[in-house]
Amino acid sequence: MPQALVDLTKEPPAWLHYKETQSLFAALEQAGGQCRFVGGCVRDALVGTLSDDLDVSTNLIPEDASKRLEKAGFKVVPTGIDHGTITAIKNHRVFEVTTLRIDAETYGRHASVAFTDDWKVDAARRDFTFNALSLDQAGVLHDYFGGQEDLAKGRVRFIGDAEARIQEDYLRILRYFRFFARFGNGNPDKNQLAQIQKNATSLSRLSRERVTKELMLLLGLDKPVPSLKLMKEYGVFRSLFGVDLFPEYVEALTAVEREKDPVARLLALIGGEINNFRLVQAALRLSNKTQQRIQSACETELAADLDPHAQKTALYRLGPVVFKDCAMIGMLKNSSDRSFQEYLRLAETWSVPEFPVKGRDLVAWGMKPGPEIGKAITLLIQIWIDHDFTLTADELRKRL
């Protein structure tokens, strides 16, 4: 179903009227300068979302733009000067300002650029039609490739020739699926998907960091499953990881989860399988904390029908996060067994108590510092667990 877009002439985005915006436009539009907001912030404004990523294009070369902005009180940082991009900051408002440009040569991820003063030429180098929209300070929307209509109809459409756009930057394959999850109407263009499938093997050229960012952004969206299914169908997972994954598990998880957790969804996507995790881990750049969490869940199997005390013991030993992950995987793989749903309810309702004894307490009770302290703590924890987590520090001291 088509979605109604915001009329930006009647409901302009708040960022269009920030005093910092007015200062930036005043500085850049002196003596023939031009500037407009471009890309994601304009697209998101049309669907009623206020973006903090404020990208501005100008016909001024970076040196001229920097001088004018510094004179207007902005802090200017040459963040991407080789590609014509500077960052302008004032009163904690951040604007990415990029000179209109042509990607003269592209290398699958990198490009050499030449500056231009042609807004349509600059827009043509972008990936999708709704990302080529621009908005001037008067609130006039500039749309050279039908991006507004595509957004309204839920079409994710490459600008011009899909294969050419993909080969300019293979990250656009992953961006396609992320935008399809956000804006797609459920009817992807088969010709574009065919080009994605044809070029999917080149995803190996991308950095692990960029692949990770795109995948985790996708997994954090409200409805990632249709895109994940397409990625499996058109060979994207196999090209990235050498294995097909499990979008159906993510679908089952999203039906019962209480909050969107990209890491839990990634764990579901790999099916809780340690071999799949090793393959995925080799292609991604995950934090140590995330790697440890997923590995622990993959290597730990919760038995069904644990009695209440055994459930609490497992929850305490594993910690709430890994316990919930293991229960989730058990639920997905054994959908007819209600045990794992009970485990999830326990994790949500039982506050894991804190063991009441520290090593310093044992020293205060007369033990000498050393290895025996650790052994005693281990023994006391087991006694505490055996007594259903109820013994106080004084009761444990007597046991010791």
Side-chain angles (χ1 to χ4, degrees), residues 293-330:
R293 173 182 168 183
I294 295 177
Q295 183 171 338
S296 295
C298 288
E299 293 179 338
T300 305
E301 182 176 357
L302 286 178
D305 299 320
L306 293 175
D307 63 51
H309 179 73
Q311 292 178 39
K312 290 182 177 180
T313 300
L315 176 52
Y316 176 77
R317 293 288 192 189
L318 294 173
V321 173
V322 174
F323 180 84
K324 288 174 68 174
D325 287 342
C326 293
M328 179 265 291
I329 291 297

Side-chain angles (χ1 to χ4, degrees), residues 16-210:
L16 192 62
H17 298 301
Y18 292 159
K19 62 181 181 180
E20 294 81 11
T21 297
Q22 295 170 4
S23 177
L24 181 137
F25 272 73
L28 295 179
E29 292 189 338
Q30 299 173 29
Q34 299 173 9
C35 59
R36 300 176 192 170
F37 283 100
V38 296
C41 62
V42 180
R43 177 202 65 221
D44 289 353
L46 283 168
V47 296
T49 301
L50 186 66
S51 176
D52 291 328
D53 294 325
L54 300 179
D55 293 329
V56 174
S57 285
T58 179
N59 62 338
L60 301 173
I61 63 173
E63 293 78 8
D64 288 347
S66 297
K67 290 177 182 177
R68 294 188 185 196
L69 290 169
E70 287 173 345
K71 188 175 180 180
F74 285 85
K75 177 184 177 182
V76 176
V77 182
T79 44
I81 197 69
D82 290 342
H83 292 84
T85 299
I86 58 176
T87 300
I89 307 166
K90 191 174 187 179
N91 299 330
H92 304 292
R93 303 276 190 208
V94 179
F95 303 86
E96 296 290 334
V97 181
T98 301
T99 302
L100 297 176
R101 73 188 203 204
I102 303 169
D103 289 340
E105 294 182 76
T106 57
Y107 312 97
R109 178 65 200 134
H110 305 286
S112 62
V113 304
F115 298 137
T116 181
D117 58 2
D118 189 321
W119 287 91
K120 184 175 181 179
V121 167
D122 179 82
R125 69 179 176 80
R126 301 179 188 277
D127 48 11
F128 306 106
T129 57
F130 50 54
N131 288 339
L133 299 165
S134 58
L135 188 73
D136 62 29
Q137 192 177 24
V140 176
L141 185 69
H142 301 267
D143 182 4
Y144 301 105
F145 305 106
Q148 189 172 7
E149 181 181 355
D150 286 341
L151 192 60
K153 293 185 176 180
R155 293 190 300 239
V156 183
R157 186 165 61 91
F158 287 101
I159 295 172
D161 181 71
E163 185 170 26
R165 296 288 82 74
I166 290 168
Q167 290 179 354
E168 288 167 356
D169 182 354
Y170 293 109
L171 189 71
R172 288 172 174 171
I173 291 176
L174 302 183
R175 284 169 62 82
Y176 176 91
F177 294 107
R178 175 159 63 89
F179 288 126
F180 185 78
R182 283 192 67 188
F183 305 116
N185 61 6
N187 297 302
D189 185 300
K190 299 296 184 181
N191 292 325
Q192 295 192 125
L193 288 172
Q195 294 302 325
I196 284 173
Q197 186 174 39
K198 178 181 176 181
N199 288 276
T201 54
S202 293
L203 287 167
S204 60
R205 302 184 187 187
L206 298 174
S207 72
R208 294 166 66 188
E209 291 81 2
R210 297 306 298 271

Side-chain angles (χ1 to χ4, degrees), residues 350-370:
W350 186 57
S351 297
V352 180
E354 182 179 355
F355 181 61
V357 175
K358 309 291 184 186
R360 62 177 178 270
D361 296 321
L362 272 66
V363 174
W365 297 343
M367 287 190 68
K368 294 181 179 180

Side-chain angles (χ1 to χ4, degrees), residues 228-279:
L228 295 174
K229 289 182 175 180
L230 288 172
M231 292 171 78
K232 180 176 181 178
E233 180 181 354
Y234 285 88
V236 173
F237 290 140
R238 187 162 289 278
S239 294
L240 278 172
F241 309 124
V243 65
D244 285 326
L245 300 180
F246 300 91
E248 61 273 21
Y249 283 169
V250 182
E251 185 172 29
L253 173 60
T254 58
V256 299
E257 65 187 0
R258 292 183 175 271
E259 59 182 5
K260 297 188 292 288
D261 182 349
V263 177
R265 289 176 173 184
L266 178 59
L267 178 59
L269 185 63
I270 65 174
E273 300 289 343
I274 189 63
N275 289 335
N276 286 348
F277 173 59
R278 292 191 179 111
L279 292 170

